[in-house]
Amino acid sequence: MPFAATGGLGDVLGSLPSAIKATAGDDVDVRVVVPYYSAMGQEWKDKCETVAEFEVDLAWRRQYCGVKSLVKDGVVYYFIDNEYYFFRDTLYGNYDDGERFAFFCRAALEMLAKIDFYPDILHAHDWQAALSVVYLNNGYRHREGYSDIKTVFTIHNIEYQGKYDFAILGDVFALDADKKGLMEYGGCINLMKAAIVCADKVSTVSPRYAEEIRTWEYSHGLDGILNENAHKLCGILNGIDYDYYNPSTDKDIAVNFTWRSLKKKAMNKLALQREIGLPEREDVPMIALITRLASHKGLDLVTEKIYNIVENNDVQLVVLGKGEAEYESFFYKLEERFGDKVRALIMYDRALSKRIYAAADVFMMPSKSEPCGLSQMIASRYGAIPVVRETGGLYDSIKGYWESGEKIMGNGFTFANYDSRELEERTLAAVALWRNEEKRTKLIGKIMRTDFSWKNSAEKYLDMYASL
Ligand code: GLC
């Protein structure tokens, strides 16, 4: 963000680097390396200057590499340019992703010598960048400037590991046969595993997820290697970009508001109802679901109970997202059945998503697993009451509501088990609370003031870097 992004990782890499820079100022020099994707907006491409051009060897291949650069919010960005690899319709999901990201990692390391900049820390994110850590330890350490670089590898989602057939080891990844042991896990090449072994520190995006991925239930097979490397592992909760997600200044929503002006929040609901053709009523609680329509997001729980919830209660439901066909058609049918209560918006649309966050009263996020999750934080910022399952970053960011005399505790509704009855019960509890104006004002005020900015977490990253 804002150059090219698909999901949460894009949000994080769009805001964490500048947050680190803003926190530590002249004490740090933060530079980010990403592919020069064709999806990048022309306004950004125009701002780039070419700072290096060279060739990168990868096994028998020799490929052109241009390095383009610009500075934004005190952070230097480098874009690795190779049209053959990165001018595609999507950022990833191609048959040759292994080769594309091996090239990217190799190019990023080669670049350091060309621009004569050797960082103290190389911080690689997810499997696409895993080979940079592996290559650094295997083929670069003898070179001046590279010998002392420390490494951090961050797991944003352990489900996606970069798994390949052995045939790719020498021919594409350009690694000798004696690296097979390092690269192998569970009968195939596993890039995430190799980075976990090579990195000095392994982090993930919430403290709870750092514990969960050490168990077989959550690790997608990697718990063994993570337990062996447990001394390297830590969890740091993500933040969100408080300027981009700011209901008091956001140009994408109908009416700006703060926790002191919740009446104006209600005007966003009326505006959205008008926009998507639902009955315009301030008094009806609106439930929102904004997510990739994938099963680990807890869609099975939703589909089991949402029919009942909508049929038996005076509520509206707005769904935004794309994904597995079975869920898409489920929500289309639900809209067909309850035309005056349900809207299924099967698409991605960032601006529309913000209008929904601003309009919604209750936000559902019942994930089966969730490394961090950003939507519950965005929903909170825009005054929608989150209903979440207690897993990963959802557990770390949302605490269950309860009343202690006059005081209210917590900042949302939570449930422990992956059980649709618990989701239904907590959702209806959130709806019931919303109908009580006094309690609603108190709770939403508290939710909107919960600090999900990068301030605390940027400090934690700086501490981790310093420890290296
Ligand atoms: C991945 C995770 C999500 C996390 C994001 C950013 O998309 O699934 O939980 O918030 O990465 O770290």
Side-chain angles (χ1 to χ4, degrees), residues 269-280 286 316-319 335 339 341-345 347 352 355-356 359:
K269 179 158 70 183
L270 292 170
L272 182 75
Q273 288 163 334
R274 199 170 318 132
E275 178 182 345
I276 61 181
L278 284 173
E280 290 171 45
M286 179 183 282
Q316 293 181 346
L317 173 75
V318 178
V319 181
E335 172 177 317
K341 285 182 156 183
V342 176
R343 279 297 166 273
L345 307 163
M347 59 177 99
L352 175 59
R355 293 199 292 280
I356 299 172

Side-chain angles (χ1 to χ4, degrees), residues 380 386 397-401 409-413 443 446-447 450 452:
S380 300
S397 58
I398 307 296
K399 298 292 171 209
Y401 168 86
M409 314 299 269
N411 58 339
F413 286 75
L443 179 62
K446 185 165 182 233
I447 288 173
T450 310
F452 291 125

